[in-house]
Amino acid sequence: MHGIDVRHLQRFSMVCVAAETLGQQGKTGASTILRPLTRLNMSFSPSAAAPMPTDSTEALPRTACAVPFTTAPGIAALGERFFTRLAPTPLPSPYLVSAAPAAAALLGWDEAGLARAAQDPAFLDAFIGNGVPDWSDPLATVYSGHQFGVWAGQLGDGRAIRIAEAQRPDGPWEIQLKGAGLTPYSRMADGRAVLRSSIREYLCSEAMYALGVPTTRAMSIIGSDAPVRRETLETSAVVTRLAPSFIRFGHFEHFAAREDHASLKQLAHFVIDRFYPACRDDASPYQALLREVSLLTADMVAHWQAVGFCHGVMNTDNMSILGLTIDYGPFGFLDAFDANHICNHSDQQGRYAYSQQPQIAFWNLHCLAQALLPLWRETDAANPEAAKQAAIDLAHEALDPFRDRYASAFFRHYRAKLGLRAAQDDDEALMTSLFQLLHTHRIDYTLFWRNLAEVSANGAGQDAPVRDLFIDRAAWDAWASEYRARLQQEQSDDAARAVAMRQVNPKYVLRNHLAETAIRAARDKDFSEVNRLLAVLSKPFDEQPEAAQYAALPPDWASGLEVSCSS
């Protein structure tokens, strides 16, 4: 376990470290994990990539399932180099576990309409993959990527099948079935997802949306008693996931690895035209795309840090080109604050620890930059080395705004969490000492921030809800005196500040033990806890006194829970 360095939680996690490491060589160590762009040499060559599977489409069985949306080709318009058409693999005796009204509304269902639709066997068949509706064009896309910092080669949708792209007034929504069976990209896996991991992804997708964090969505879980072997024998489930696009950094890496620059350019134009149209008018549209993706990624990760979310497996193939949280696997929300918390039991080196997330995001963006580099590198220049360096400099120029954007977003979130109205020069010192305090005493992260709203600027009389979280009360008192002085400096009104703080400090997050309780009940076909949690987590900032038990400290048994890449 790394020693604490609270700089990783602030702009120094990438501002100071990255500024020192970019352009240098031979740096190692936990605080210098960013390799310079010139060192991201993946030895790309056509022979290093596996051959693309051919289109396996045959006459697909068609079923009737009425839906409130029209469809468009979406990524299918790019051509067969980008995907393989195939039907999902059926599962026996499907049953509804849960359906999320807020996500279904994105496709046009109101709550009553969703309730009716979810009772229709045709709905179950369509969204578990037991039939192919007339509006469906199922396919699995190919991508590559870095996993745990190592080039993994060709990957792809190994158990997720895009069944359609819905056209809605607010834009496109790709509909994807996760756990729908084998694809040409499944490698040694079985193409399935288990009920356990499906419940976690479903609940967290919707919880993150309610928290205001950019995320993919989850509309439903449909289960089957078909057995799936993981560490033990479990049952199958399929999650219907929604996103404007599921394109990842790894899609670009794939075509760069194959030196297929025509497809790389085609993909870039597809993304720009649909999601970043302002980049079309930029003098350097591809660098503009990289810059915009960098900024959205900075915003996303700063929000993760603020709500105490740990992704767990920030591989480049798990990074959205739209700056969305994607692929909820071995994730976790902080309970007792540990700056170096590792939520993924498979992450033996702590690469994706909470404190490392901003740096890893920046590192992943460098991989994206490496993939995009051929789009602006002059190949016929008189001085190839100078042209190469010029291309790298342009990449740095596009990436550099990440650092300031992350720092700005980080401080904006934490000033709001502290109830501070304006920036002051000593805010950074106040936050640094607070993170040290929380880390040293392992204070419950969510409860601390929620209860902090009770503190008065005028004295310690109302400190008990947060002070009682500390065994060492004197340590709290020392920091609280600094905080109170800061509040008095800006003449903060207690009542107004408390209201504002409760709007940014959630009372409810998806703690591991809450998900585990719902999973255990669901194994016995009791899905009431899944639906109850979904309802509570959809209003994380509300008091919901009837749900107060979901905001309590974790039970002792929760410390023994482990999540890993096995799902």
Side-chain angles (χ1 to χ4, degrees):
M1 183 71 73
H2 308 301
I4 182 174
D5 183 351
V6 296
R7 294 178 305 165
H8 286 303
L9 300 173
Q10 301 176 48
R11 59 183 169 184
F12 302 111
S13 59
M14 82 299 299
V15 175
C16 296
V17 172
E20 293 170 2
T21 58
L22 290 178
Q24 297 180 19
Q25 298 182 7
K27 295 288 187 179
T28 59
S31 63
T32 54
I33 60 171
L34 289 177
R35 288 177 288 173
L37 191 60
T38 52
R39 299 290 288 174
L40 288 179
N41 180 5
M42 280 80 83
S43 300
F44 286 162
S45 68
S47 61
M52 269 293 294
T54 57
D55 193 325
S56 63
T57 302
E58 298 177 359
L60 302 177
R62 295 285 170 174
T63 61
C65 177
V67 292
F69 53 80
T70 60
T71 61
I75 198 169
L78 289 175
E80 63 182 15
R81 286 195 295 270
F82 295 84
F83 57 83
T84 301
R85 281 193 169 92
L86 74 169
T89 304
L91 285 166
S93 305
Y95 52 83
L96 181 69
V97 175
S98 183
L106 298 171
L107 299 184
W109 276 291
D110 60 23
E111 191 163 354
L114 175 64
R116 289 191 300 271
Q119 299 305 311
D120 185 347
F123 180 95
L124 298 183
D125 284 341
F127 292 103
I128 200 173
N130 284 359
V132 180
D134 291 339
W135 45 264
S136 178
D137 180 18
L139 56 84
T141 67
V142 63
Y143 51 81
S144 298
H146 286 78
Q147 298 191 329
F148 289 89
V150 177
W151 176 242
Q154 181 175 294
L155 303 167
D157 292 327
R159 57 177 172 169
I161 295 178
R162 190 221 73 160
I163 60 169
E165 179 180 284
Q167 294 298 295
R168 296 290 298 155
D170 62 342
W173 286 96
E174 281 195 15
I175 307 171
Q176 190 182 79
L177 305 184
K178 183 173 181 177
L182 287 168
T183 78
Y185 317 111
S186 297
R187 295 178 289 167
M188 302 299 292
D190 57 17
R192 292 302 184 191
V194 297
L195 180 63
R196 161 180 55 89
S197 63
S198 299
I199 288 173
R200 284 173 51 83
E201 173 148 15
Y202 171 77
L203 289 175
C204 199
S205 298
E206 294 306 284
M208 291 284 272
Y209 168 74
L211 289 167
V213 181
T215 181
T216 58
R217 305 294 298 278
M219 186 184 77
S220 64
I221 310 174
I222 299 175
S224 167
D225 289 338
V228 179
R229 172 65 66 178
R230 294 295 182 260
E231 285 89 349
T232 61
L233 202 62
E234 303 187 53
T235 59
S236 302
V238 171
V239 176
T240 298
R241 305 198 299 184
L242 310 176
S245 175
F246 284 97
I247 293 176
R248 307 147 186 270
F249 291 9
H251 282 93
F252 292 89
E253 289 184 282
H254 177 75
F255 293 104
R258 298 173 65 85
E259 295 186 349
D260 183 352
H261 298 163
S263 295
L264 181 66
K265 185 175 183 178
Q266 185 183 3
L267 181 61
H269 279 274
F270 179 81
V271 170
I272 289 171
D273 289 343
R274 290 167 64 86
F275 304 109
Y276 299 96
C279 294
R280 283 193 303 246
D281 301 325
D282 194 283
S284 304
Y286 307 120
Q287 293 105 287
L289 171 63
L290 178 59
R291 180 178 64 249
E292 292 304 311
V293 174
S294 297
L295 296 177
L296 290 179
T297 302
D299 290 341
M300 176 189 72
V301 176
H303 213 152
W304 288 1
Q305 303 301 100
V307 298
F309 174 77
C310 307
H311 185 278
V313 60
M314 292 177 66
N315 298 330
T316 59
D317 58 294
N318 294 337
M319 298 291 292
S320 163
I321 202 68
L322 302 184
L324 303 175
T325 313
I326 190 172
D327 289 343
Y328 291 93
F331 68 85
F333 285 86
L334 295 174
D335 288 328
F337 182 79
D338 176 359
N340 303 307
H341 176 65
I342 303 167
C343 64
N344 180 358
H345 186 62
S346 304
D347 185 6
Q348 298 295 322
Q349 302 302 315
R351 176 180 175 83
Y352 298 139
Y354 173 73
S355 63
Q356 297 293 325
Q357 291 184 138
Q359 272 190 295
I360 292 295
F362 200 32
W363 191 91
N364 289 342
L365 285 163
H366 280 72
C367 293
L368 176 62
Q370 179 76 41
L372 292 173
L373 212 62
L375 297 182
W376 63 77
R377 180 180 174 183
E378 293 185 43
T379 56
D380 56 353
N383 187 334
E385 283 304 311
K388 177 183 177 181
Q389 187 57 51
I392 291 171
D393 291 343
L394 288 172
H396 278 258
E397 189 177 305
L399 290 169
D400 282 347
F402 174 93
R403 297 177 293 184
D404 286 341
R405 180 67 161 252
Y406 175 80
S408 175
F410 176 93
F411 284 114
R412 183 178 69 253
H413 282 300
Y414 276 99
R415 285 192 183 97
K417 291 173 77 68
L418 287 163
L420 304 178
R421 295 196 306 267
Q424 298 287 348
D425 291 342
D426 60 354
D427 288 350
E428 189 172 311
L430 181 70
M431 293 180 196
T432 299
S433 61
L434 172 59
F435 290 128
Q436 185 71 57
L437 179 73
L438 297 178
H439 177 86
T440 299
H441 298 278
R442 294 299 196 268
I443 303 304
D444 188 89
Y445 186 81
T446 301
L447 280 174
F448 172 84
W449 288 107
R450 186 69 178 187
N451 292 353
L452 190 64
E454 305 295 331
V455 170
S456 172
N458 302 312
Q462 297 173 210
D463 284 10
V466 63
R467 189 174 188 264
D468 288 349
L469 297 172
F470 291 80
I471 295 175
D472 185 350
R473 306 292 171 70
W476 156 257
D477 292 340
W479 183 84
S481 65
E482 297 178 23
Y483 177 51
R484 238 183 295 278
R486 176 68 175 82
L487 296 177
Q488 291 169 0
Q489 185 180 12
E490 61 177 40
Q491 298 180 323
S492 182
D493 177 77
D494 287 350
R497 185 181 69 258
V499 170
M501 290 175 69
R502 292 188 188 106
Q503 292 173 346
V504 296
N505 291 317
K507 183 175 181 179
Y508 303 98
V509 296
L510 183 60
R511 297 176 186 264
N512 274 344
H513 77 278
L514 298 178
E516 180 64 19
T517 299
I519 289 164
R520 292 176 182 179
R523 286 174 176 151
D524 295 325
K525 297 293 195 301
D526 177 1
F527 308 126
S528 61
E529 191 64 15
V530 173
N531 290 314
R532 193 174 299 116
L533 257 183
L534 178 69
V536 170
L537 294 169
S538 70
K539 299 179 288 186
F541 303 104
D542 293 359
E543 283 297 326
Q544 303 186 74
E546 72 284 358
Q549 70 272 23
Y550 294 105
L553 284 167
D556 290 342
W557 59 265
S559 62
L561 294 174
E562 292 180 346
V563 292
S564 70
C565 291
S566 170
S567 60

